[in-house]
Amino acid sequence: MNAESNTAPVARSTTQPMYWSVLRELWENKSIYIAPSIVAAVILLGALVSAGHLPERRRSAMLLDEARRQAAIQLPYDIVAMIIIVTSFIVGFFYCLDALYGERRDRSILFWKSLPVSDLTTVLSKACVPLLILPAIIFAIIVATQFVMLLISSAVLVPSGLAGTTWANFNLLQQSVILFYGLIVIALWHAPVYGWALLISGIARRATFLWAVLPPLAIAVFEKITFNTSYFASMLKDRLGGAGDTAFAFQMHNGLSIDHLTPARFLSTPGLWIGLLFAAAFFFAAIRLRRYRGPI
């Protein structure tokens, strides 16, 4: 009885600072969920405006073979997911650039350091936003947007008798599983990018975006001019948009690219673990910097 009463406060004391620190980030940075929601609302508005042409497009799609018909019907939903995912990356990147810089700029760092919350907890709570919280929000927004698009499609196609074609060619549950897997892959692959932005946020005294972007560009230009190679630029390009090359297997079927999940190949990719090591190093450096950095 005494052992349980002694350990419970310790458990609460170690988890509550992280919990409230993450809530603080969500409260102070409403763009984390407002910006993707606005993009989703604009997409749904566009879907409503263009719904009048949907029966004609659906009749044309039904004349195709099964594989091409399914791809044509799924395409708008895939485009919606990609647009919102790109939006989330932009939001996460700029959030990290301002995460430590903002509290130094407005001198609120003096208040936050006076609280019994360690620098480790503070930085990790900020890192959780692009790596955990934002993917979860994006998953919910994309699934909700696609579901509303399905309802709009069904309502518009009811008079023509084609309402069931959307549900027959777009499996929302299956696509949600693929989306969930893809968001995990993207978060892990982009972890060093977020770590670099968070580190710059703790170093720079102004113009965090320029400090984050110009050094990699300078290295790429220097390599190209000096050695006439572009290994660093290729690495940056792969880090920004190459997650799908190892996480999915693309195969051609009747002229269409069909993707299959390959988590084992993704987890065995050296680039993933090298990137995570760099991300850990960036986060550790950001923790050390916050310990000694004061207001600007």
Side-chain angles (χ1 to χ4, degrees):
M1 187 69 179
N2 292 335
E4 292 181 357
S5 61
N6 290 334
T7 56
V10 175
R12 287 196 297 268
S13 64
T14 56
T15 57
Q16 285 186 353
M18 175 63 74
Y19 172 77
W20 289 110
S21 295
V22 172
L23 283 185
R24 166 205 162 189
E25 297 302 319
L26 295 176
W27 178 68
E28 290 186 344
N29 301 275
K30 295 180 175 59
S31 61
I32 294 171
Y33 51 87
I34 290 179
S37 299
I38 292 175
V39 172
V42 172
I43 291 173
L44 290 176
L45 178 61
L48 281 172
V49 172
S50 62
H53 303 284
L54 185 58
E56 179 182 353
R57 295 198 300 266
R58 184 56 50 86
R59 292 189 189 96
S60 300
M62 296 305 294
L63 298 176
L64 303 173
D65 60 81
E66 182 179 357
R68 293 182 181 275
R69 179 172 65 247
Q70 184 175 7
I73 293 176
Q74 288 184 0
L75 181 60
Y77 301 91
D78 294 338
I79 293 176
V80 166
M82 290 306 302
I83 292 175
I84 298 178
I85 288 173
V86 171
T87 301
S88 73
F89 172 75
I90 296 174
V91 170
F93 183 72
F94 280 95
Y95 162 81
C96 289
L97 284 178
D98 192 65
L100 298 175
Y101 173 77
E103 64 180 15
R104 293 164 52 225
R105 180 188 58 225
D106 60 16
R107 306 181 68 86
S108 63
I109 188 174
L110 299 176
F111 169 76
W112 295 117
K113 280 193 171 184
S114 67
L115 299 179
V117 180
S118 66
D119 297 303
L120 173 65
T121 299
T122 300
V123 173
L124 288 183
S125 67
K126 296 177 184 297
C128 282
V129 171
L131 297 179
L132 296 176
I133 306 300
L134 192 55
I137 294 173
I138 293 303
F139 176 81
I141 291 176
I142 291 176
V143 172
T145 304
Q146 291 178 337
F147 180 71
V148 174
M149 288 178 62
L150 283 170
L151 295 180
I152 294 174
S153 173
S154 300
V156 172
L157 293 175
V158 164
S160 59
L162 297 172
T165 59
T166 303
W167 298 90
N169 291 274
F170 184 80
N171 189 327
L172 183 61
L173 179 59
Q174 179 184 17
Q175 294 300 316
S176 299
V177 173
I178 296 174
L179 173 64
F180 183 77
Y181 168 75
L183 289 174
I184 294 176
V185 166
I186 292 172
L188 293 176
W189 197 254
H190 286 164
V193 178
Y194 295 132
W196 169 252
L198 199 60
L199 176 61
I200 294 299
S201 180
I203 295 176
R205 299 182 63 85
R206 61 180 63 86
T208 53
F209 178 76
L210 293 180
W211 279 106
V213 173
L214 289 182
L217 289 180
I219 294 174
V221 172
F222 176 81
E223 179 196 358
K224 184 63 177 179
I225 294 175
T226 306
F227 305 106
N228 195 28
T229 58
S230 55
Y231 296 114
F232 189 79
S234 298
M235 183 271 294
L236 290 179
K237 181 180 178 181
D238 178 70
R239 182 55 55 179
L240 291 175
D245 294 340
T246 56
F248 297 89
F250 299 96
Q251 300 175 356
M252 298 304 295
H253 178 70
N254 293 334
L256 296 175
S257 179
I258 308 300
D259 59 294
H260 302 277
L261 309 185
T262 56
R265 187 174 70 175
F266 175 71
L267 293 175
S268 61
T269 302
L272 168 65
W273 300 104
I274 294 174
L276 291 177
L277 286 176
F278 272 96
F282 292 148
F283 290 141
F284 176 78
I287 294 169
R288 299 292 296 180
L289 274 172
R290 190 181 187 276
R291 183 170 302 174
Y292 301 108
R293 285 278 182 170
I296 299 175

